[in-house]
Amino acid sequence: MDAAVSAKAALLQALVRGPGYGLDLIERVKKQTHGKFVLGQGSVYPALRELEREGLLESYEGEPLPERGGRPRRYYKLNALGAKAAIEQREVVMGLFMPVPEVG
Amino acid sequence: MPRKSTLDWDSKHYRQLVEFVRHWRAQTPESVQPVDWRPEDRGLQNDRRLVELARQLSALARDQSIQPEDREAQNYRQLVKFIKRWNVEAQDQSVSSQQWRWRLRWALLGRQTLECQSLTANQLTMCRVNRTFRFVSALVPKRLADEQIGDALELMAEHLKRSSARWPIYWRLAVTIFWLLVNALRDHFVAMLAGPMARKRTPGE
C-alpha cells in the first residue's frame, strides 16, 4: 500500500479532524488506515513543511513540555485553502472507486 | 618514606573546595560551623580530611542564607544537590571513608555527570539521550530540533512506561539523529534553490 497514498495527501486528510503535531498525525494516519499506511520520521516533517510552504497549513508552537525535554510541540492546522484542497483530494480519490457508468 | 597522598588525583579540586568552605566559614557565625576542620593539618589521614570536608559541605548545604556568586554558585548548587540527593549526613558514622571519597568525587564532577551518576538505569539512558540530543540540536535549526527531538523524546518516554528494554531507545536516538540531519540538509538545499528561483519570479525583473 506504499504507493497508494502520498505522505502529503495522508497528512491533509488527518488534519481534517483538527490540528495536530507530528507524532499525533503519524498516529492518526496509522489508525485511519488500520496500520496499513505508516508515516515515517523521514517523510512526515518535510511533508508538513512543504504543505505549509504551499500555503495549505498554518503552524504554531504549543507550551514547552517536560516529557519533550522542555521543547514545545509544533501544531499544524488546515487553513481555508488547505481544507478545500483536502475535500477536493478526497473527492478525486473517492471518484476513482465509483463504479464506471456503462457506455451505450 | 612519607605516605603518598590519595588526594593527588584531584588535589586542585580539593583546594578549590577548601577555599570555598573557608570563604563560607569566614562569613558564618562560629556557632553554626561544624567543628573538626583541619585542612592544613598534614599529619591528618587523607580519609579523615575527606570526612571533615564532607561535614563542612553538609553544613554548608543546609545553610539557606548562603548565596554564592558566579562560578562558586554553580559549584555550590552541585554540592547542595549532591548532598540532598544522597541524603548525606556528615555526622553519620556508618558512612565509610571510602564512600565519602566516592561521594565527594561525584560532587566534584560536572552537573550533568552528577545527575547521570545517581539515576536508575532507565533514567540514566534518558540522561545520555538528552545529552546527545542537546549536542545535535546545536547543529540544526531550532524549529527542526524542537519538532523532531521533542517527538522522539515523547515516544521514548511512552516506551519506557511500557517496557524496560533500552535498545529501542538507542535505536530511536540513532534514527532521529539521522533524519534530523537529513531533513536539515534537505531544508538547507531547498532554501538555497528556492532563493534564486524566487528572485527570478519577482515581478519587474
Side-chain angles (χ1 to χ4, degrees), chain A residues 55-102:
Chain A
L56 302 175
L57 303 185
E58 286 168 12
S59 73
Y60 58 93
E61 275 189 3
E63 290 293 308
L65 297 168
E67 65 264 32
R68 293 173 66 89
R71 293 179 172 83
R73 283 175 179 161
R74 177 162 288 275
Y75 289 95
Y76 293 89
K77 65 174 184 180
L78 287 176
N79 57 20
L81 199 63
K84 195 179 158 200
I87 292 165
E88 279 173 7
Q89 185 191 64
R90 187 176 289 187
E91 282 169 1
V92 169
V93 174
M94 296 300 282
L96 287 173
F97 300 102
M98 295 296 279
V100 181
E102 286 183 22

Side-chain angles (χ1 to χ4, degrees), chain B residues 15-51:
Chain B
R15 279 200 308 276
Q16 278 177 357
L17 279 177
V18 167
E19 278 309 307
F20 184 33
V21 172
R22 187 174 281 146
H23 175 71
W24 163 71
R25 281 172 69 99
Q27 298 172 5
T28 315
E30 275 184 28
S31 57
V32 297
Q33 291 177 11
V35 289
D36 292 340
W37 195 50
R38 294 160 286 173
E40 304 301 333
D41 189 348
R42 295 281 165 188
L44 210 60
Q45 295 242 332
N46 285 310
D47 292 347
R48 187 70 207 158
R49 280 166 71 191
L50 280 168
V51 171

Side-chain angles (χ1 to χ4, degrees), chain B residues 92-105:
Chain B
D92 186 354
Q93 297 300 319
S94 65
V95 179
S96 72
S97 52
Q98 183 67 17
Q99 283 170 308
W100 274 122
R101 188 178 302 154
W102 281 106
R103 287 178 179 190
L104 274 172
R105 190 188 264 282

Side-chain angles (χ1 to χ4, degrees), chain B residues 67-84:
Chain B
Q67 297 293 334
E69 291 170 359
D70 302 332
R71 188 168 62 86
E72 270 191 351
Q74 201 188 346
N75 289 336
Y76 178 74
R77 276 198 298 275
Q78 284 171 24
L79 291 166
V80 171
K81 224 177 200 178
F82 154 74
I83 288 164
K84 281 182 181 165

Side-chain angles (χ1 to χ4, degrees), chain A residues 1-2 19-20 23 25-26 32 36 44-46 53 60 66 69-71 73 80-81 85 87 89 95:
Chain A
M1 178 129 175
D2 279 355
L23 198 59
L25 293 170
I26 292 173
Q32 274 180 278
K36 286 177 182 157
V44 70
Y45 302 107
R53 271 198 297 270
Y60 58 93
R71 293 179 172 83
R73 283 175 179 161
L81 199 63
I87 292 165
Q89 185 191 64

